[in-house]
Amino acid sequence: MPVEIPAPITFNSYKHHFRFLLSELDDWRQMEWSSVNAQLLSIGNNLLDFYLGDLDVDEIVYETLQYFNCEGIDEYAEFLEWLNPPKWKKITLSDHSEWLIKKGDDPERYTHIHPAKYSTHTIRVRATTLKTVLALESLALRIDPVSVNNLNVINRVRKNYLKLSPIKSLRKGESGILRLWELFQNYPCT
């Protein structure tokens, strides 16, 4: 993963961080598809919560670590004691976004974080929708012509590059692909 996440934090920036993916797209447009696809695999296939706020990955991790530092939690046993009995708890970061904290599978990275459902600066996205938009964006220089409004192009990308089923329509207001595409297209360049 390009962003070094310090232990004990587990955070999938490919799956949960919009601005991180924006920066990755610049590199992906120049990479072989197999390398891009390998990174897209970490997004999975489920519904996910996608952070759109201004905190970068390092700031999210730092604020999470600071939260636990202020709580006096710096050992696995203390973390489990804080977490029990629920399977997860929420914390709020400086931008008022809420983050779910749960026990990670790796004993060295036991603090698993991701945006909370319906939190400030967060939207719910299907993983397959996100992967479709990222594939369209990263393949933009290789597919002629790329038009997000062209159902045939989208289905060709889904089938040939992502091994996903085709979609039936791209009705405005109903298509998560169109809404997410517009989000990526309309984000102001810095």
Side-chain angles (χ1 to χ4, degrees):
M1 217 174 258
V3 175
E4 186 64 34
I5 307 289
I9 302 292
T10 298
F11 177 62
N12 186 338
S13 45
Y14 289 101
K15 191 173 183 175
H16 297 295
H17 201 282
F18 173 66
R19 286 181 39 229
F20 169 80
L21 287 173
L22 279 174
S23 67
E24 287 295 285
L25 280 169
D26 291 336
D27 293 334
W28 289 357
R29 288 183 185 108
Q30 309 305 316
M31 292 169 58
E32 292 293 321
W33 173 252
S34 60
S35 298
V36 174
N37 194 39
Q39 293 176 341
L40 290 178
L41 288 175
S42 71
I43 295 173
N45 292 309
N46 298 323
L47 194 61
L48 55 93
D49 300 293
F50 196 51
Y51 176 73
L52 304 174
D54 290 332
L55 295 176
D56 64 28
V57 173
D58 290 335
E59 291 169 319
I60 291 165
V61 169
Y62 174 77
E63 287 190 26
T64 302
L65 291 170
Q66 282 300 106
Y67 173 87
F68 285 108
N69 186 46
C70 290
E71 294 291 317
I73 300 168
D74 59 2
E75 303 271 335
Y76 183 60
E78 295 166 335
F79 174 78
L80 291 178
E81 186 176 315
W82 171 82
L83 193 58
N84 281 328
K87 294 185 188 262
W88 55 266
K89 287 187 177 180
K90 284 184 190 177
I91 65 171
T92 303
L93 300 186
S94 63
D95 69 346
H96 306 289
S97 61
E98 294 180 314
W99 292 76
L100 284 185
I101 310 294
K102 57 186 193 176
K103 183 173 116 9
D105 295 332
D106 181 346
E108 300 296 314
R109 295 187 170 276
Y110 52 83
T111 306
H112 181 116
I113 67 172
H114 62 84
K117 185 179 354 176
Y118 308 120
S119 171
T120 302
H121 311 301
T122 301
I123 60 172
R124 298 217 88 194
V125 176
R126 292 188 190 287
T128 54
T129 299
L130 178 58
K131 288 194 279 191
T132 300
V133 170
L134 292 170
L136 287 164
E137 285 278 358
S138 65
L139 294 167
L141 301 177
R142 298 173 226 189
I143 298 175
D144 185 38
V146 169
S147 171
V148 77
N149 292 315
N150 185 327
L151 184 61
N152 291 330
V153 171
I154 290 172
N155 282 334
R156 189 171 75 229
V157 167
R158 286 175 63 89
K159 181 181 173 200
N160 297 342
Y161 290 91
L162 298 170
K163 309 301 182 226
L164 296 173
S165 301
I167 59 172
K168 293 179 183 166
S169 82
L170 281 173
R171 284 187 225 159
K172 201 78 162 158
E174 293 179 20
S175 173
I177 291 171
L178 290 178
R179 286 193 301 268
L180 196 57
W181 174 268
E182 288 173 3
L183 185 66
F184 275 91
Q185 290 296 302
N186 295 325
Y187 190 79
C189 297
T190 53

